[in-house]
Amino acid sequence: MLKGIHPAISPELLKTLAEMGHGDELVLSDAHFPAHALHQKVIRADGLSISTLLEGISALFEFDQYVEAPLAMMQAVPGDNLDPSVEERYLAAIKKVNDTAPRVERVERFAFYNRAKAAYAVVITGELAKYGNIIIKKGVTPTP
């Protein structure tokens, strides 16, 4: 175990976060997401919620400040409703580490899947919330 790293961040996830460059995206998927069908690099984080991982990642990860919305979540399919508490939980987890949380954009379901295919990696979590998937875009770490 390393000091200062959230215990939910596995060695494989830590390595992936370090490898990612500016503009690379990471999918934090719910337990229902077809990660293995969409991507070659899949990291398992079974039993962990996305909000727990967002809290741990936010301490290590600069969100892209050069795009309008460095967070993306799936839009509800017509006829479905979004539970606003899911997004609220995610932003609250980020705000535990940062003073503010970046803007979230909503992406149509199949456009979200296409974006996930192009992501650096997909992390499958134990999240059970419907439309609980989120894509985070890495930014540039500021120099001291």
Side-chain angles (χ1 to χ4, degrees), residues 1-14 44-46 48 52-53 55-57 59-60:
M1 173 117 355
L2 298 171
K3 289 172 61 175
I5 296 175
H6 194 286
I9 305 296
S10 69
E12 184 179 10
L13 180 53
L14 184 62
R44 302 297 304 204
D46 300 289
L48 295 175
T52 297
L53 283 176
E55 183 180 342
I57 290 169
L60 306 170

Side-chain angles (χ1 to χ4, degrees), residues 32-61:
H32 310 288
F33 193 76
H36 290 283
L38 295 175
H39 212 285
Q40 293 293 327
K41 184 167 180 68
V42 177
I43 299 168
R44 302 297 304 204
D46 300 289
L48 295 175
S49 69
I50 288 176
S51 55
T52 297
L53 283 176
L54 280 170
E55 183 180 342
I57 290 169
S58 294
L60 306 170
F61 188 101

Side-chain angles (χ1 to χ4, degrees), residues 22 58-66 98 137-144:
H22 173 241
S58 294
L60 306 170
F61 188 101
E62 194 71 34
F63 294 100
D64 194 339
Q65 58 272 50
Y66 297 114
N98 301 317
K137 184 183 284 280
K138 189 174 185 182
V140 176
T141 304
T143 55

Side-chain angles (χ1 to χ4, degrees), residues 1 5 21 27 33 36 38 41-42 53 66-67 71 75 79 88 93-94 96 101 112 116-118 120-121 129 132:
M1 173 117 355
I5 296 175
V27 180
F33 193 76
H36 290 283
L38 295 175
K41 184 167 180 68
V42 177
L53 283 176
Y66 297 114
V67 296
L71 306 176
Q75 288 177 352
E88 290 167 7
I94 293 168
K96 281 184 180 178
F112 189 96
K117 288 177 188 177
Y120 192 83

